[in-house]
Amino acid sequence: MASFDIVSKVDPQTLENAVNTAIKELQTRYDLRDTKGGMELNKKDNTILLSSENSMRVKALEDILLGRIVKQGIDGTALDFSAEEQASGQLIKKTIKVRAGVDKEAGRKITKAIKDAKVKVEVQMQDDQMRVSAKKIDDLQAAIAVLRSTDIGQPLQFVNMKS
């Protein structure tokens, strides 16, 4: 049976390059020149920490980061901006999580999208990825087309195609 895997991952080197470029832009921007805090990538936890004096500047840091990430070729939905800002002394901090892996909720959305399209494939959840298998490659390609047109909420890559 033919199959492929659905994964959601971000290249760590590209992410680091985007954050470093954003930090350089932060240092050269006139309106953010004497800002305390800044931007920091935590590779171990796969998070980015933004900190500044007020929430308006934290929002500006988010915009700079998102612009640099998109310019590096990373999908903007790979970042989870939903975390709340937290006051810590004189600074306001916000932790942005970089989405990696297909979580259960996204897996349900993927399965539902494929079943609603009535494509003859089998979908299985495997840890942080999904395996889609079918008898014909044409059915797999139809499943990929359905998923590309559906908004899952995170970037998806289709890898390991086997026939």
Side-chain angles (χ1 to χ4, degrees):
M1 288 187 48
S3 67
F4 69 90
D5 295 333
I6 301 171
V7 296
S8 178
K9 59 184 175 180
V10 176
D11 181 37
Q13 185 63 48
T14 308
L15 179 66
E16 185 177 2
N17 289 344
V19 171
N20 288 339
T21 308
I23 290 171
K24 284 181 184 177
E25 181 178 338
L26 173 66
Q27 293 169 349
T28 59
R29 287 256 309 245
Y30 181 75
D31 57 340
L32 300 172
R33 184 168 297 162
D34 27 331
T35 300
K36 294 178 183 163
M39 199 175 299
E40 186 178 318
L41 174 65
N42 186 342
K43 295 179 190 175
K44 186 177 179 185
D45 295 339
N46 218 14
T47 59
I48 302 169
L49 177 69
L50 304 177
S51 58
S52 189
E53 292 96 8
N54 57 36
S55 58
M56 185 181 77
R57 287 191 174 173
V58 171
K59 182 67 177 151
L61 292 176
E62 286 179 13
D63 293 340
I64 291 171
L65 177 65
L66 187 61
R68 289 299 167 181
I69 285 211
V70 170
K71 281 186 180 181
Q72 288 284 336
I74 299 173
D75 193 347
T77 57
L79 299 180
D80 184 12
F81 289 103
S82 65
E84 292 293 318
E85 298 174 352
Q86 303 151 357
S88 172
Q90 295 179 354
L91 296 178
I92 295 177
K93 295 183 178 182
K94 184 169 185 178
T95 303
I96 298 172
K97 186 168 179 4
V98 180
R99 293 183 179 137
V102 178
D103 59 352
K104 290 183 181 180
E105 185 178 327
R108 283 190 214 112
K109 288 181 184 178
I110 290 169
T111 305
K112 184 178 183 324
I114 290 175
K115 288 192 183 217
D116 289 348
K118 297 188 175 66
V119 181
K120 296 182 180 181
V121 295
E122 293 179 22
V123 183
Q124 300 169 344
M125 187 74 175
Q126 298 177 340
D127 294 331
D128 61 346
Q129 68 180 13
M130 298 190 74
R131 167 94 20 111
V132 180
S133 56
K135 291 183 180 177
K136 297 185 215 170
I137 292 182
D138 294 340
D139 293 335
L140 294 178
Q141 291 173 340
I144 291 174
V146 166
L147 292 174
R148 285 203 171 130
S149 65
T150 305
D151 180 29
I152 302 298
Q154 66 186 73
L156 299 176
Q157 293 89 27
F158 308 103
V159 297
N160 205 13
M161 177 77 96
K162 297 178 182 174
S163 58

